[in-house]
Amino acid sequence: MDNEGVFYRQLPKVELHAHLNGSVSSQTIEKLIRQKPHLDIDHSTTAIGKGQQRTLDECFEVFKVIHKLVDTEEDVLMVTTDVIKEFAADGVKYLELRSTPREVKDTGLTKKSYIETVIKAIQQCKNEGVDIDVRFLVAIDRRNGTEVAMETVKLAEEFMLSSDGLVVGLDLSGDPSVGHGKDLLPALQRAKNCGLKLSLHLSEVPSQLEESDLLLNLPPDRIGHGTFFHPEVGGSQSLVDKVVKNNIPLELCLTSNVKGQTVPCYVKHHFKYWYQLGHPSVICTDDKGVFSTDLSQEYQLAASTFGLSRKDVWKLSQQAIDCIFAPEDVKQQLKQKWNDLHTQVFK
Ligand code: 6MZ
């Protein structure tokens, strides 16, 4: 690894937007494929390599393939453990993983055991002393509609109370071209009222101004992507104003947006717009496995594309601490950690 690479790896980082099954590395996929030869899955269908692009629709096909490979409690335990250790090895000190609880009748996996298993993996990593604080956001897949959304919120609520602070919030994700946010509003409102933090994918694709406007009224605690909020890309000033007024941090994923073709090229990424405004913007990976990236690479990419100095990059990673969903004492511990690591990173 060159000097630059070492700096970005050593930089302590916060990852706030990572979908579990999208984060499964090629090594772990390899293990799953070996365990399930009967599925006859070709490795090239589970990731989008360097320089390759897909439409967002095609990306959602990739998740379906990975879901076929991850269909038992043992699989969920293995992928969660591997993903956590990979983030830790990449210098991530605080990670919020998100995942959609899934039921698989054939293997006995239930939504509840799915969440329990993710929590078990987090606890096991903690017990092994892996140097990373991991929390979990239960995800609603928007295509599943009102009832499933409400059922998911109830599960999340239950685990928020019983997981020793590991379940901190709720994510709304899934194929943005399917379903409408208004159907999910009662579930999201309930989640908010019971103390779950909300991170919502908003305006990941164009023409969702009405939905974004509606959901911004909640308001969410963080926003995933928000690619089409600003007027230059067909959004509106009033949406931008709402985000700014409520100071809602954005989770921004450069490689994901360019590979999924919702953003035409890196220099046109909306990171620039929000960063110039001085708005809290957190660099994230989205799906490090599917998009063949890691958080160090994403920071390096942001820096080289937008001309950020090492000092700017440090500030960016440090400011992400204020956007986490874990409570204040965890923020203080992380800030201390950043202070302790500063000399080593800038030596
Ligand atoms: C929206 C996405 C996404 O939940 O099975 N997901 N939702 N936009 C994206 N941009 C690329 N990337 C991933 O992880 C996979 C699921 O995360 C959501 C989708 O619902 C996908 O099925 P889990 O761990």
Side-chain angles (χ1 to χ4, degrees):
M1 199 182 289
D2 62 8
N3 218 332
E4 278 291 287
V6 172
F7 170 78
Y8 286 95
R9 176 69 61 89
Q10 286 191 342
L11 177 76
K13 292 170 289 290
V14 166
E15 169 66 80
L16 300 181
H17 190 127
H19 299 274
L20 176 60
N21 284 291
S23 300
V24 183
S25 66
S26 122
Q27 291 88 321
T28 306
I29 293 282
E30 209 40 77
K31 287 193 267 184
L32 290 162
I33 288 179
R34 271 202 305 273
Q35 284 171 9
K36 302 182 193 206
H38 57 281
L39 290 177
D40 201 22
I41 288 172
D42 177 356
H43 202 143
S44 65
T45 59
T46 61
I48 304 165
K50 203 170 164 35
Q52 292 182 323
Q53 288 191 323
R54 296 279 191 282
T55 63
L56 202 56
D57 285 347
E58 287 167 331
C59 295
F60 282 95
E61 291 306 311
V62 176
F63 298 124
K64 288 184 191 153
V65 177
I66 299 172
H67 284 159
K68 276 198 213 160
L69 281 167
V70 181
D71 69 347
T72 68
E73 276 176 31
E74 293 75 49
D75 298 338
V76 174
L77 188 70
M78 177 174 81
V79 299
T80 311
T81 308
D82 285 4
V83 165
I84 291 172
K85 290 183 179 172
E86 287 154 5
F87 274 115
D90 187 37
V92 174
K93 302 297 178 195
Y94 176 90
L95 163 67
E96 281 174 22
L97 269 180
R98 52 185 77 190
S99 193
T100 327
R102 234 171 340 115
E103 174 186 88
V104 183
K105 290 228 162 70
D106 291 350
T107 68
L109 185 68
T110 64
K111 291 185 179 183
K112 203 168 173 171
S113 69
Y114 187 102
I115 302 178
E116 278 164 357
T117 309
V118 171
I119 291 173
K120 185 172 162 190
I122 296 175
Q123 278 163 342
Q124 279 182 2
C125 288
K126 204 172 177 174
N127 294 341
E128 281 178 36
V130 183
D131 180 22
I132 186 169
D133 185 333
V134 187
R135 309 286 162 144
F136 186 51
L137 310 182
V138 180
I140 292 178
D141 184 337
R142 51 182 291 142
R143 92 190 134 112
N144 294 331
T146 314
E147 259 172 55
V148 174
M150 192 56 94
E151 182 199 339
T152 309
V153 169
K154 287 181 185 158
L155 266 177
E157 206 177 326
E158 197 181 312
F159 280 100
M160 178 184 69
L161 299 171
S162 67
S163 64
D164 230 350
L166 294 184
V167 171
V168 287
L170 194 81
D171 155 63
L172 171 64
S173 54
D175 188 341
S177 63
V178 186
H180 197 291
K182 69 173 178 309
D183 301 327
L184 310 169
L185 205 52
L188 298 174
Q189 190 70 61
R190 177 181 170 138
K192 198 174 165 67
N193 292 345
C194 78
L196 285 158
K197 299 278 189 183
L198 292 186
S199 170
L200 310 182
H201 283 60
L202 293 181
S203 286
E204 186 178 4
V205 294
S207 316
Q208 291 193 317
L209 301 191
E210 190 204 324
E211 179 188 278
S212 292
D213 190 56
L214 185 73
L215 297 182
L216 279 175
N217 289 338
L218 279 159
D221 299 283
R222 287 199 314 253
I223 293 161
H225 306 297
T227 313
F228 294 92
F229 279 161
H230 54 297
E232 284 88 331
V233 287
S236 77
Q237 192 58 42
S238 75
L239 281 183
V240 172
D241 289 346
K242 261 187 198 179
V243 175
V244 171
K245 186 170 136 258
N246 290 303
N247 201 30
I248 314 174
L250 293 173
E251 303 153 359
L252 301 175
C253 314
L254 276 76
T255 298
S256 162
N257 295 155
V258 169
K259 285 194 172 178
Q261 299 182 0
T262 53
V263 168
C265 56
Y266 290 110
V267 285
K268 295 210 168 135
H269 195 278
H270 49 296
F271 171 84
K272 185 173 176 189
Y273 180 90
W274 293 97
Y275 186 73
Q276 280 177 347
L277 275 185
H279 189 80
S281 309
V282 185
I283 302 272
C284 301
T285 54
D286 208 1
D287 299 287
K288 73 174 181 61
V290 170
F291 296 115
S292 315
T293 187
D294 59 35
L295 195 54
S296 298
Q297 287 183 55
E298 294 301 302
Y299 269 90
Q300 191 165 1
L301 189 56
S304 62
T305 308
F306 302 107
L308 311 182
S309 67
R310 288 189 175 190
K311 212 170 137 202
D312 297 332
V313 168
W314 176 269
K315 214 168 145 195
L316 200 56
S317 93
Q318 196 175 37
Q319 283 171 344
I321 298 172
D322 283 319
C323 306
I324 69 170
F325 285 167
E328 194 52 39
D329 59 316
V330 180
K331 290 184 188 171
Q332 291 312 324
Q333 283 162 22
L334 290 170
K335 286 179 184 172
Q336 187 60 50
K337 192 166 246 178
W338 260 241
N339 282 343
D340 295 345
L341 288 168
H342 188 271
T343 324
Q344 187 188 333
V345 174
F346 281 93
K347 73 177 177 282

